[in-house]
């Protein structure tokens, strides 16, 4: 794939990278479902318990669930980028150690900081959109779902812009080659536009998946299993979107830095370090 990218002279083809990411997902179904199914199951179980036991109703929108799943999604993203970076890697001790390594604390802090930003931005959501949609004679439930989705768009634009500036920190952490914020900023300069389009598009799709599952919940019987099914479906959708993001970020970072997979001791160039090719 690397020979088809043109990061030295032009922006990479984002559509090509996304196609590669989907193909990679198809090739690694076992790795995906091994991690995604427990996440979906946890989301479904939480929704089932909260819907079945009304004494827990006050916990439905508790910020703790957002914090929990932000960390879980971070661990999923880290694991998927490791799988992408180590695809077809030569078996050796260093490869095995990287594949088995747990997520970096800096990665979790990164996720927690952006969750905090999202929580702050949620206090500033636009009001009145649902009422406007109801004025267009849309059903109340549909207007509420669409209004909630649309009210997030300005905030998505803001934190997507911020995230795109330093997104290439994440693959470096997954590859056990941590970089600084300033270095990630500089490295990502030639691919800022593709990164923004990727992240904004995926975030918007996640909101649309949420809106779809919320609308689907309106059509299903008012049973705890319905809430659990829709919650699990939303988690699976998010995992698939994260898998696409993780692969693209790993591919771009690997090409920009000339990062090489760990190799056996008898390889003549095993100690050669990668070099960053972003503007200095």
């Amino acid at each position: 794939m690397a020979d088809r990218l043109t990061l030295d002279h032009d922006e990479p083809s984002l559509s090509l990278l996304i196609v590669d990411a989907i193909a990679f997902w198809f090739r690694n179904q076992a790795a995906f479902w091994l991690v995604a199914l427990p996440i979906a199951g946890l989301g479904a179980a939480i929704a089932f318990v909260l819907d079945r036991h009304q004494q827990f109703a006050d916990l439905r929108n508790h910020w703790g669930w957002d914090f929990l799943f932000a960390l879980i999604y971070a661990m999923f993203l880290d694991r998927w980028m490791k799988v992408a970076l180590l695809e077809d890697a030569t078996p050796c001790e260093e490869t095995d150690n990287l594949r088995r390594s747990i997520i970096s604390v800096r990665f979790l802090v990164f996720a927690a900081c952006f969750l905090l930003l999202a929580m702050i931005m949620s206090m500033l959501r636009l009001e009145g959109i649902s009422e406007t949609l109801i004025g267009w004679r849309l059903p109340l439930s549909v207007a509420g779902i669409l209004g909630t989705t649309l009210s997030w768009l300005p905030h998505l634009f803001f934190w997507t812009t911020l995230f795109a500036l330093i997104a290439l920190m994440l693959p470096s952490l997954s590859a056990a080659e941590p970089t600084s914020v300033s270095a990630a900023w500089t490295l990502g300069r030639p691919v800022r536009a593709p990164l923004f389009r990727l992240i904004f598009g995926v975030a918007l799709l996640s909101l649309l998946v949420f809106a779809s599952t919320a609308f689907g919940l309106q059509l299903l019987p008012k049973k705890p299993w319905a809430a659990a099914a829709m919650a699990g479906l939303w988690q699976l959708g998010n995992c698939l979107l994260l898998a696409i993001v993780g692969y693209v970020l790993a591919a771009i970072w690997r090409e920009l830095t000339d990062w090489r997979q760990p190799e056996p001791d008898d390889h003549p160039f095993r100690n050669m370090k990668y070099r960053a090719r972003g503007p200095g």
Side-chain angles (χ1 to χ4, degrees):
M1 185 199 68
D3 58 343
R4 289 177 287 167
L5 300 181
T6 55
L7 293 178
D8 284 331
H9 309 291
D10 200 359
E11 293 181 354
S13 171
L14 185 58
S15 59
L16 178 62
L17 285 173
I18 291 175
V19 171
D20 285 343
I22 295 173
F24 179 79
W25 176 76
F26 275 111
R27 293 196 304 270
N28 292 273
Q29 289 292 288
F32 176 82
W33 292 109
L34 184 65
V35 183
L37 281 180
I39 297 174
L42 177 61
I46 292 172
F48 182 86
V49 171
L50 295 180
D51 196 70
R52 184 177 180 85
H53 300 282
Q54 293 303 314
Q55 62 268 34
F56 300 139
D58 293 340
L59 297 177
R60 288 180 181 173
N61 297 315
H62 195 276
W63 63 268
W65 303 122
D66 295 329
F67 182 77
L68 173 64
F69 278 97
L71 298 183
I72 290 174
Y73 287 148
M75 289 186 283
F76 174 87
L77 184 60
D78 173 72
R79 179 52 50 190
W80 194 255
M81 286 194 291
K82 282 184 170 69
V83 174
L85 290 169
L86 296 175
E87 185 182 26
D88 299 328
T90 305
C92 65
E93 183 178 356
E94 292 176 345
T95 298
D96 293 339
N97 289 339
L98 180 57
R99 184 175 283 117
R100 292 193 299 261
S101 63
I102 62 174
I103 186 172
S104 166
V105 174
R106 291 177 63 183
F107 202 122
L108 294 177
V109 171
F110 189 99
C113 289
F114 272 88
L115 172 64
L116 179 61
L117 175 62
M119 292 174 64
I120 294 173
M121 296 299 293
S122 69
M123 302 175 186
L124 305 174
R125 282 187 299 175
L126 301 179
E127 302 294 340
I129 294 181
S130 296
E131 290 76 3
T132 301
L133 293 171
I134 293 172
W136 293 348
R137 298 183 180 179
L138 292 176
L140 179 61
S141 59
V142 176
I145 294 168
L146 290 177
T148 299
T149 303
L150 292 175
S151 69
W152 275 101
L153 290 181
H155 311 301
L156 280 182
F157 184 87
F158 172 79
W159 65 258
T160 297
T161 301
L162 183 60
F163 183 72
L165 297 176
I166 54 176
L168 293 182
M169 278 188 65
L170 299 185
S172 72
L173 294 173
S174 297
E177 298 282 357
T179 187
S180 65
V181 172
S182 60
W185 177 299
T186 301
L187 182 65
R189 190 176 299 159
V191 291
R192 200 84 75 210
L195 287 176
F196 175 85
R197 293 196 299 269
L198 170 72
I199 298 165
F200 185 81
V202 166
L204 183 58
L205 283 175
S206 179
L207 274 180
L208 293 177
V209 171
F210 171 75
S212 300
T213 56
F215 179 68
L217 188 59
Q218 304 295 323
L219 304 178
L220 293 174
K222 305 301 181 183
K223 301 290 185 180
W225 64 262
M230 291 299 100
L233 186 61
W234 184 40
Q235 306 303 334
L236 284 178
N238 285 338
C239 288
L240 177 57
L241 293 173
L242 283 173
I244 293 173
V245 170
Y247 178 89
V248 174
L249 287 180
I252 291 176
W253 178 81
R254 183 173 177 174
E255 179 67 13
L256 283 173
T257 61
D258 279 343
W259 183 82
R260 296 291 183 261
Q261 297 168 338
E263 296 179 338
D265 293 340
D266 57 357
H267 193 282
F269 303 109
R270 68 180 305 272
N271 293 321
M272 181 178 294
K273 299 295 184 179
Y274 71 84
R275 59 184 178 86
R277 294 193 300 181

